[in-house]
Amino acid sequence: MKKIFLFFLFGGMLASASAFAQSAEVPLEEVAQFGRHQPIGVAVSQQGRIFVTFPKKKKDFDYSLAEIVNGQRRPYPDATWNQWDSTQATTRFVNVQALFVDQNDALWVLDPANPEDEAPVLDGIKLLKINLATNKVERIYRFEDLPRERSGLNDVRVDVKAQVAYLSDPKLAAIVVLDLRTGKSRLVLQGHKSVMAAPGFVLRIDGKEVKDKNGKPFSSNVNGIALTHDYRYFYYRAINQTKLYRIETQYLRNAALPAAEVAKHVEEVGETGISHGMIADQAGNVYLTDSPNHAVRRVTPAGRLETVAKDGRLHWPDSFGLGPDGYLYLTAAQINRTAKWNNGQDLVEYPFRLYRMKLR
C-alpha cells in the first residue's frame, strides 16, 4: 500500500497533524431549523435547491427526504414517496441516508432501508436517480447481486462520465462499485485495512466515550467518501480510525483486476483525526467533518490539513453539500447526544439545524 503523508514544513522539519498550518476560520451560518427531526444527508443542486434526508424513527419523523424551501421542509419528490408502507417498499422510502448531485444536476438518493440500524428491508434497498428538471424518478437500482441481508449502504458518489457509482458499505466493510448502465454491482477492497475500523478504537467526544447502555461502543467501518471532480481519485475512510485513504478510480472500475492487485494501489494519505462525512470541491480540496473538535477541516491539493471552521454548535457534523453560491452546507446530526448513546437520556440540543459557511 502506497503512503502519501500530509505534511507542513516548519523550520525544515516535518510537523505533526496538530501543528499543521491553520487557515482563516470561516463563520458558521444557520440555514434552517428542523425541530426534533434529525438531519443526516444534504445536497445542493446547481440551481441552489437544497435537499436533506431524515432517518426513519418510531417518533419525531414524517419525511425521509425533503426539499428546503424558505427554511421549510417539503416532502420530495412528492408526498407519496415519503408515505411509509411496508407492502410497497420498492416504491416508497424506507430509511433514506445519503444524497449526491452529479455534474448533470441529477439528484441521487440512497435508501439502505435499515431504519434505526435494524436489519434491512430487502426489497426496499435502492438508489434512485431523480431528474431535478421534472422532479421525476428516472431509474432505480436494487443491488440484487449483493448480500443485501447483511448490507448497510451509507454514502454515494457518481461519475457521470464513466457511468459508475461508488458507495460505502460499513456493514460489509467494502466499497461498492455500481455500473449505471447494466445495474450490476460488486464489492471492492472488502476487509482491507483501509476500510476497517481500528481494533478497539472507541470514539471519545466531549470527554465521553460513545457507548450504548450495554457498554457497546459506536463503531463504523468505511463510511465517509469523496470523489474528485476530475473523477480521478476516490477518497474514503472508516469513522473508528484516524487515517484518510484514496485510490485512483481506474483500479476500482477495472473488474478484471484481482483483489490483491487493487489493494496495491491504495494510498494512505495521512492522519486527519476522526471524521464522518467528506466532499471534494472543484479546486481539489477534500473537506472532512471533525466531531471531537466541533470543526470542519480540509486537505488541500498541496497536502496541507487546514481548519476551515470551528464552532461549538457542530455536534457530530455529518454530511456536506456544495452550493453554486460558494457555500458549503452541512448537517449536525448530534448522534452522540441521542438517548441511545447516553443511557437513555436525550442530550440533543434542539432544534436540529442545517448550517452553511462561505468558502469563496
Side-chain angles (χ1 to χ4, degrees):
M1 180 172 63
K2 303 176 183 177
K3 295 185 178 182
I4 50 168
F5 295 104
L6 295 167
F7 68 95
F8 165 54
L9 295 179
F10 182 75
M13 302 296 289
L14 188 65
S16 67
S18 61
F20 284 138
Q22 306 293 296
S23 62
E25 293 183 15
V26 179
L28 198 66
E29 302 176 17
E30 183 177 305
V31 178
Q33 297 184 0
F34 304 130
R36 300 179 71 88
H37 302 283
Q38 182 187 39
I40 297 292
V42 60
V44 185
S45 78
Q46 294 173 19
Q47 307 304 315
R49 298 170 67 184
I50 304 169
F51 303 91
V52 178
T53 71
F54 300 87
K56 179 78 168 63
K57 295 186 175 183
K58 293 182 177 65
K59 62 178 183 178
D60 301 324
F61 172 81
D62 49 14
Y63 310 138
S64 289
L65 173 59
E67 181 174 4
I68 310 306
V69 181
N70 297 323
Q72 302 300 310
R73 297 178 308 122
R74 295 182 180 177
Y76 189 84
D78 54 40
T80 300
W81 266 100
N82 284 274
Q83 291 173 352
W84 165 238
D85 184 336
S86 60
T87 67
Q88 299 187 53
T90 58
T91 55
R92 303 286 177 91
F93 292 137
V94 180
N95 183 55
V96 178
Q97 169 72 17
L99 301 173
F100 181 73
V101 172
D102 68 27
Q103 291 189 338
N104 291 335
D105 211 28
L107 178 67
W108 296 81
V109 182
L110 177 62
D111 183 358
N114 55 349
E116 299 192 291
D117 208 29
E118 298 174 354
V121 178
L122 297 188
D123 58 353
I125 300 173
K126 51 192 172 290
L127 175 66
L128 285 68
K129 179 184 179 182
I130 300 180
N131 185 323
L132 290 178
T134 63
N135 299 315
K136 300 297 184 182
V137 176
E138 286 191 342
R139 186 162 180 183
I140 303 177
Y141 298 88
R142 305 287 183 183
F143 302 98
E144 294 176 347
D145 42 7
L146 293 185
R148 295 187 298 171
E149 70 283 355
R150 295 186 287 110
S151 73
L153 296 167
N154 181 81
D155 208 350
V156 60
R157 296 293 182 268
V158 176
D159 178 345
V160 294
K161 183 178 180 180
Q163 283 293 287
V164 172
Y166 306 99
L167 303 97
S168 58
D169 193 322
K171 295 286 180 143
L172 292 175
I175 302 300
V176 177
V177 179
L178 170 66
D179 186 321
L180 297 177
R181 297 185 180 94
T182 66
K184 299 294 184 180
S185 55
R186 55 192 176 85
L187 300 176
V188 182
L189 294 174
Q190 186 172 29
H192 186 266
K193 176 183 177 181
S194 63
V195 304
M196 300 295 293
F201 191 104
V202 179
L203 293 183
R204 190 175 184 85
I205 301 176
D206 296 335
K208 180 181 179 180
E209 292 184 337
V210 185
K211 295 182 177 181
D212 65 15
K213 63 181 180 181
N214 299 316
K216 182 180 179 180
F218 175 95
S219 185
S220 176
N221 297 312
V222 60
N223 192 287
I225 58 177
L227 181 65
T228 54
H229 277 242
D230 60 4
Y231 304 123
R232 180 181 177 185
Y233 284 105
F234 178 79
Y235 286 79
Y236 63 99
R237 54 163 300 139
I239 291 179
N240 288 68
Q241 48 106 315
T242 60
K243 290 182 172 61
L244 174 65
Y245 297 88
R246 75 177 187 181
I247 186 171
E248 288 192 52
T249 55
Q250 62 173 312
Y251 303 115
L252 296 178
R253 294 195 309 271
N254 189 344
L257 287 181
E261 181 62 27
V262 176
K264 290 179 182 178
H265 298 282
V266 170
E267 300 177 359
E268 181 181 311
V269 179
E271 295 279 349
T272 56
I274 304 302
S275 180
H276 312 295
M278 295 194 295
I279 199 168
D281 67 12
Q282 291 184 347
N285 298 295
V286 177
Y287 294 83
L288 306 97
T289 62
D290 181 344
S291 285
N293 293 294
H294 304 279
V296 172
R297 304 193 191 280
R298 70 182 169 205
V299 176
T300 71
R304 293 166 65 94
L305 180 65
E306 301 178 337
T307 297
V308 179
K310 193 170 185 179
D311 193 295
R313 294 172 291 176
L314 292 178
H315 295 297
W316 198 289
D318 199 295
S319 300
F320 290 121
L322 280 166
D325 51 6
Y327 278 94
L328 179 68
Y329 292 74
L330 72 158
T331 57
Q334 302 196 56
I335 290 174
N336 63 301
R337 303 181 70 86
T338 59
K340 178 178 181 178
W341 305 105
N342 292 281
N343 293 314
Q345 183 179 6
D346 185 359
L347 301 179
V348 171
E349 295 181 3
Y350 296 105
F352 283 108
R353 295 174 169 90
L354 173 68
Y355 298 102
R356 70 178 185 178
M357 59 191 73
K358 188 73 170 181
L359 298 181
R360 61 180 188 274

